[in-house]
Amino acid sequence: MKNIIISIDGASSTGKSSLAKALAKHYSFKHIDSGAMYRALTFYALHHQLIDKNHFDIDTLVYHLPTIEIDFSTDDFVTLNGKIIENEVRSMEVSNFVSIVAKETLFRKFMVAKQRELGKKGNVVMDGRDIGSVVFPDATIKFFIEASMEVRAKRRFAELTQKNIDVSLSDVISNIENRDHIDSSRDDSPLVIPENAIVLTNNEDGLSHLLEVAISKIDRLNH
Ligand code: DC
């Protein structure tokens, strides 16, 4: 298969990144986690005290943009100005602010341009919120992943506790609910099911079932 773009969209913790990673491995494609890019910018803003509970200095962050290089290492870990920050971007602190950063049009434009550049050679699996709707509306195949709140909260809680991050299940649920609200109601590129997307449900069957279904849909394109 050549120059294929697979888009996977969905709300947070629905399992889209795990599916994207597994598909990329199966087809030897590159995996681009676009959420990690928004997380990297949020990490930068937090690190430079440009955002906290009471303020967000958008103008200064915009001013810094030309000096901010967000990319991926050869093993698909997100980098900020050349440094791998894959663990740092998964913190609850970043999770609590990322939707506020991601709703700003100027930052979205910056990310979309970079995502298109990263995907232009093809053979990529990119996951996010607006990949099939905005970044690559002509993607070869589009998936949209759904999952119940219970499945999502358990997934995120397990991920965080595995990394020794001390958090309660109720904090995880309120973070997911809050992000759902901001990501779906923002003016610019809200979370939607992209046109022609195949909707898959991630339930208790887990990744292997989802992967099997996705591979059968992709392979069908070639026959
Ligand atoms: O997929 P994630 O939970 O790591 O994404 C983090 C945040 O980034 C999410 O709350 C919304 C934003 N995001 C976005 O607006 N557009 C994307 N393509 C990917 C993520």
Side-chain angles (χ1 to χ4, degrees), residues 9-13 16-17 33-39 42 89-90 95 98-100 102-103 108 115 127-131 135 156 179-180 183 186 188-189:
D9 290 298
S12 65
S13 306
K16 58 189 186 320
S17 272
D33 174 353
S34 68
M37 299 171 71
Y38 288 96
R39 286 172 177 272
T42 306
V89 299
R90 306 293 159 195
S95 296
V98 63
S99 289
I100 298 168
K103 75 183 171 64
R108 299 205 68 79
Q115 288 151 6
D127 71 274
R129 301 291 189 288
D130 61 344
I131 308 305
V135 183
R156 180 62 65 154
R179 282 201 290 145
D180 277 359
D183 296 345
R186 68 184 177 214
D188 190 346
S189 327

Side-chain angles (χ1 to χ4, degrees), residues 89-117:
V89 299
R90 306 293 159 195
S91 71
M92 273 305 277
E93 203 189 10
V94 169
S95 296
N96 284 335
F97 289 100
V98 63
S99 289
I100 298 168
V101 174
K103 75 183 171 64
E104 297 301 327
T105 294
L106 279 169
F107 304 134
R108 299 205 68 79
K109 279 199 174 135
F110 174 82
M111 293 299 176
V112 170
K114 182 73 195 175
Q115 288 151 6
R116 288 186 178 147
E117 185 196 319

Side-chain angles (χ1 to χ4, degrees), residues 19-130:
L19 176 65
K21 240 179 237 151
L23 282 176
K25 191 167 174 216
H26 180 84
Y27 291 107
S28 301
F29 285 2
K30 196 157 175 62
H31 168 222
I32 295 161
D33 174 353
S34 68
M37 299 171 71
Y38 288 96
R39 286 172 177 272
L41 185 62
T42 306
F43 174 78
Y44 180 97
L46 283 163
H47 193 71
H48 288 80
Q49 283 91 43
L50 300 178
I51 193 167
D52 62 30
K53 255 193 227 151
N54 305 313
H55 92 299
F56 179 17
D57 187 349
I58 296 178
D59 291 347
T60 304
L61 188 56
V62 170
Y63 181 72
H64 284 200
L65 273 185
T67 69
I68 300 174
E69 179 66 27
I70 294 170
D71 213 324
F72 290 88
S73 64
T74 45
D75 37 10
D76 296 340
F77 292 132
V78 70
T79 62
L80 174 64
N81 292 338
K83 185 173 176 268
I84 293 179
I85 53 161
E86 188 62 35
N87 282 336
E88 290 85 336
V89 299
R90 306 293 159 195
S91 71
M92 273 305 277
E93 203 189 10
V94 169
S95 296
N96 284 335
F97 289 100
V98 63
S99 289
I100 298 168
V101 174
K103 75 183 171 64
E104 297 301 327
T105 294
L106 279 169
F107 304 134
R108 299 205 68 79
K109 279 199 174 135
F110 174 82
M111 293 299 176
V112 170
K114 182 73 195 175
Q115 288 151 6
R116 288 186 178 147
E117 185 196 319
L118 288 168
K120 73 176 177 219
K121 285 196 211 125
N123 291 1
V124 296
V125 187
M126 195 176 293
D127 71 274
R129 301 291 189 288
D130 61 344

